[in-house]
Amino acid sequence: MQSADDKTKRYRSFGSYLRETFGCRVQKIGLDAGFSCPNRDGTSGTGGCTYCDNAGFSHHTSADAPPPPLEKQLAHGMKHMARRFKAKKFIAYFQAFTGTHAHTEALRRTYQVIRDFPEIVGLFIATRPDCVGEQVLELIASYRRDYLTWLELGLQSANDTTLRRINRGHTVENFSRAVERAHERSLPVCAHVILGLPGERREEMLATADFLAGCGVESVKLHCLHVMEGTRLARQWRDGKLELLDQREYAGLVCDFLERLPPEVIIGRLAVDVRGKNLLGPRWCGRGKQDTVRMIELEFERRGSRQGSLLG
Ligand code: SF4
């Protein structure tokens, strides 16, 4: 089922994909299963990504206390989404930190919680490309029988120099291999990308779009680099070593990026809402993402282009 709004959009939105798949409004519920991250606990690195803001993952995440039980998070999330959006179906989204960073049996027990909620129709798991072993992929793929099941992989940039600069702790090759292994199990992949990373020029950002088009990922999520208090990036920003994108520049880059992606790739996100007083910059990231999304749509209209335009 496509709405009129879907037909006029110049990119394939996640909302329209869900409506086509389920024929109704479906909302994602962000969950914190209490996992850590291999780039923080020494498994693949220490210190974490320079921009990492723990509290930003979900409102359940706090440095001071363990997250509430998953059952409680799900029940609360469904009630909230049903009231706000009149949603009747939901996707459980293991979002916080690294959603596969535990032994396979522990992961099995964790993901299993969704079986208690018949309203849940999807399982989305966000993780790192260096944290998806064979058994973990088998486990996740086993949910495909009953749920819409996706793997979300953080790439951020397809440039290894940038990945080192932001202390990602994995390589572009790690990402390519993880996508191949997910696809061997028919698991669709959503790649997370940040535009405006330190030291990246426009050409490097757009090379990431070309790389993702070549990888055959099924979805891409974009957001603009923003600086949060308490991160390593905050120090660089205070030292004047970091240039941040302005809103119009970001909107133009997003259009450039999407013009390079095949039209069937689902665009899971164009911008984020950064809440709270810890945002240091750019300030426009704290003013609500709708404004940015509108600017991107207007820029597409001005150019007369759309997702995939440059692919001929
Ligand atoms: S991989 Fe994610 S959770 Fe881990 S340090 Fe980087 S941003 Fe933070």
Side-chain angles (χ1 to χ4, degrees):
M1 183 188 70
Q2 262 199 332
S3 71
D5 191 36
D6 297 336
K7 286 184 199 144
T8 55
K9 272 203 167 45
R10 291 173 183 255
Y11 57 93
R12 187 174 185 208
S13 73
F14 183 63
S16 65
Y17 161 70
L18 287 180
R19 276 188 293 275
E20 284 160 26
T21 307
F22 294 106
C24 66
R25 179 137 197 167
V26 179
Q27 288 295 140
K28 254 175 153 180
I29 299 172
L31 299 170
D32 182 349
F35 299 137
S36 172
C37 169
N39 197 27
R40 295 183 152 270
D41 67 10
T43 310
S44 56
T46 51
C49 307
T50 57
Y51 55 83
C52 180
D53 169 42
N54 306 341
F57 285 122
S58 85
H59 60 272
H60 300 299
T61 303
S62 146
D64 310 320
L70 286 169
E71 292 82 354
K72 208 167 164 190
Q73 293 182 43
L74 279 168
H76 177 271
M78 289 195 293
K79 194 169 163 199
H80 174 70
M81 296 296 184
R83 207 172 31 221
R84 184 157 175 213
F85 300 110
K86 309 224 176 323
K88 292 193 171 63
K89 293 182 179 172
F90 305 92
I91 290 169
Y93 178 33
F94 287 87
Q95 175 183 25
F97 294 97
T98 302
T100 56
H101 191 39
H103 291 296
T104 315
E105 273 318 304
L107 293 176
R108 189 187 309 279
R109 286 195 297 277
T110 302
Y111 304 153
Q112 205 59 11
V113 67
I114 66 175
R115 303 265 182 210
D116 296 336
F117 295 87
E119 308 91 324
I120 293 179
V121 292
L123 174 66
F124 282 45
I125 297 171
T127 185
R128 294 168 49 88
D130 58 353
C131 198
V132 278
E134 299 298 318
Q135 290 181 345
V136 170
L137 285 176
E138 283 299 322
L139 171 65
I140 297 172
S142 71
Y143 284 91
R144 289 186 56 249
R145 284 193 295 273
D146 305 316
Y147 296 92
L148 179 72
T149 308
W150 279 72
L151 191 66
E152 297 202 5
L153 290 176
L155 169 66
Q156 317 313 349
S157 164
N159 184 303
D160 279 324
T161 304
T162 304
L163 295 184
R164 278 194 294 278
R165 203 179 280 135
I166 59 174
N167 196 41
R168 273 296 291 177
H170 67 74
T171 61
V172 178
E173 171 66 18
N174 291 146
F175 178 87
S176 305
R177 282 290 302 130
V179 173
E180 278 167 26
R181 291 188 300 111
H183 283 169
E184 282 163 14
R185 292 162 176 86
S186 303
L187 264 178
V189 174
C190 173
H192 292 202
V193 172
I194 300 176
L195 298 182
L197 285 168
E200 282 220 334
R201 293 161 304 168
R202 179 176 178 275
E203 303 81 71
E204 283 141 357
M205 296 181 224
L206 300 186
T208 297
D210 297 336
F211 167 79
L212 289 172
C215 274
V217 296
E218 288 80 1
S219 175
V220 173
K221 276 184 171 177
L222 294 172
H223 76 263
C224 182
L225 181 74
H226 54 269
V227 185
M228 299 299 286
E229 189 61 270
T231 61
R232 286 203 271 166
L233 206 61
R235 278 207 298 278
Q236 292 172 21
W237 180 75
R238 287 205 166 91
D239 291 345
K241 293 181 183 153
L242 193 62
E243 271 184 51
L244 299 174
L245 295 173
D246 72 36
Q247 194 177 18
R248 199 159 293 282
E249 207 179 353
Y250 177 73
L253 274 166
V254 170
C255 293
D256 294 340
F257 199 99
L258 298 195
E259 286 167 358
R260 286 163 170 78
L261 292 180
E264 63 274 14
V265 171
I266 299 153
I267 307 305
R269 178 175 66 207
L270 290 174
V272 285
D273 275 328
V274 187
R275 299 203 185 94
K277 55 184 179 350
N278 284 344
L279 173 68
L280 298 177
R283 300 308 309 179
W284 60 265
C285 285
R287 289 201 290 266
K289 64 182 174 187
Q290 281 321 318
D291 194 34
T292 308
V293 171
R294 187 69 197 127
M295 202 177 271
I296 292 164
E297 289 171 347
L298 286 173
E299 177 61 12
F300 264 139
E301 274 174 41
R302 190 190 66 76
R303 295 181 185 192
S305 70
R306 60 193 319 118
Q307 182 179 342
S309 282
L310 290 181
L311 298 176

